[in-house]
Amino acid sequence: MPANPGDRLRTVRKRRGMTQSGLARESGVSVSLIRKLEQGERRDARLETVRRLAVTLGVPTSCLVAGTDEEGATDAVLDAWAPVRKALASPVGDVGDLEEPPTVEGVRAALDAAVPLFSGDRFAELRAVLPPLVRDAGTLAGLSPQGRAVQVRLLHLTGWLLTQTRQFDAAERSLEAALDGSADPVQGASTVSTLCWLRLRQGRLADAREWATRWADETEPRLSRATPDELSAWGWLLLRLSAAAVRDNRPEEAEEALRLAHAAAVAMGREFAPDGDFLRAFGPVTVLLKRTENAMVTDRPDVVLRLAAKVPTGGMRPTSNNRNRHLLDVADAYTMTRQYGAAVDILADIRNAAPQWLPNQRYARDILGRIVARRRTPTASMRSLADTVGLPL
């Protein structure tokens, strides 16, 4: 296959004997976008758009994908987070050269105090506290296993945060460093789960599927004896596998992974975060949210709304990323069924709960863009949301 995504699309389309107009008609993707992709005027498209083309052409999505699905961070975001990236890239200092050298106990306490900032999407505060914390953890990492463990936890959290803010290259370096330093399979599996999420956002479906499959196979526990740590780690790898498979036009593989994740959730019995780690929170509600996400990926808004009605209203924190990502799917389902007022209300609810999270979600901007395109005059609420997500009107 050609390396250029537009050339890939044209090659597969011609092998199927389809015209650009015919592919547009069957897939629901505009002929102008198909033409721009094939002519190289557009280098990428949303992964869900490419999936529609792949389904129509009868090939895995990964046959058409090359490069990043989601655009990277804006210059303003990169400038704001530059001190954090600089701290991650800085060489480790000699503890003997410091007037007040850090201690494992002190850095661990500082990290514990910062975890609510991560889980609450309090990005502005994290930009201030992370640079010295990253440097201190790096200084301690080579001195003792305890210091290394603190650094691994911080690198994982920071990689997750950089993925949230679309700083993909820095996120990958941070997560790979965390994986290299992981001392046990459960910690490694948790880090790999976040790496798989990063690769999904980059459109690297084959990589995400391969890593999730291999680590899920290696960490599969005996359900009757599994600890919450093991169930969470295995369950999340299965959810990442399902997410990659459904986007790669492999519905049976996606459903089988979801079935196994549901078995792990049943064994867990309830939503639970091992050791209080919000990144590893897992249970029946989490699996239900991801099943809803898969339904949205496959353009089934009716199923999304039906499943969403089963989600317990008090099942997750308002600032939970899983909750808010789920609500974006619900807003998209309302948009597809022309319930625009309900969709705008949900977007406003997310902004109220996580005002620093929403501006980083391209998905939110796309949803609002479709709503605005179908309304002659945007409402005041739409205009306010457009300012939040960076949608020009």
Side-chain angles (χ1 to χ4, degrees), residues 119-304:
S119 63
D121 302 311
R122 292 156 65 180
F123 297 159
E125 293 166 80
L126 283 167
R127 287 197 296 268
V129 304
L130 274 181
L133 188 55
V134 167
R135 285 191 290 267
D136 286 350
T139 300
L140 293 171
L143 301 180
S144 69
Q146 294 81 6
R148 184 60 172 163
V150 172
Q151 187 200 39
V152 165
R153 184 183 177 207
L154 177 58
L155 287 171
H156 185 190
L157 286 164
T158 303
W160 171 86
L161 173 68
L162 292 169
T163 303
Q164 284 282 10
T165 53
R166 303 201 301 271
Q167 300 173 79
F168 297 138
D169 290 341
E172 186 159 19
R173 290 193 296 272
S174 185
L175 291 170
E176 288 182 344
L179 181 59
D180 287 343
S182 296
D184 65 87
V186 170
Q187 174 63 52
S190 179
T191 304
V192 166
S193 172
T194 306
L195 266 168
C196 289
W197 173 52
L198 166 64
R199 286 164 178 160
L200 283 169
R201 295 196 74 173
Q202 293 175 304
R204 295 164 62 183
L205 300 180
D207 284 351
R209 286 180 57 247
E210 177 185 347
W211 276 68
T213 299
R214 176 161 59 86
W215 276 79
D217 287 346
E218 292 176 358
T219 59
E220 180 177 0
R222 181 176 295 183
L223 293 183
S224 61
R225 301 180 182 177
T227 66
D229 275 10
E230 293 169 334
L231 291 170
S232 170
W234 187 57
W236 266 111
L237 289 168
L238 292 166
L239 292 178
R240 301 304 189 197
L241 171 57
S242 180
V246 75
R247 287 165 173 80
D248 202 19
N249 193 22
R250 303 171 187 268
E252 294 84 5
E253 183 178 333
E255 183 58 34
E256 174 63 11
L258 267 182
R259 184 186 68 79
L260 293 173
H262 176 72
V266 170
M268 181 79 85
R270 59 187 175 90
E271 290 295 310
F272 182 70
D275 297 325
D277 185 351
F278 74 97
L279 288 182
R280 293 188 288 159
F282 179 77
V285 175
T286 297
V287 175
L288 177 58
L289 298 184
K290 296 306 178 183
R291 182 174 292 280
T292 306
E293 180 179 319
N294 282 10
M296 193 68 253
V297 170
T298 52
D299 296 324
R300 295 181 291 164
D302 54 329
V303 176
V304 170

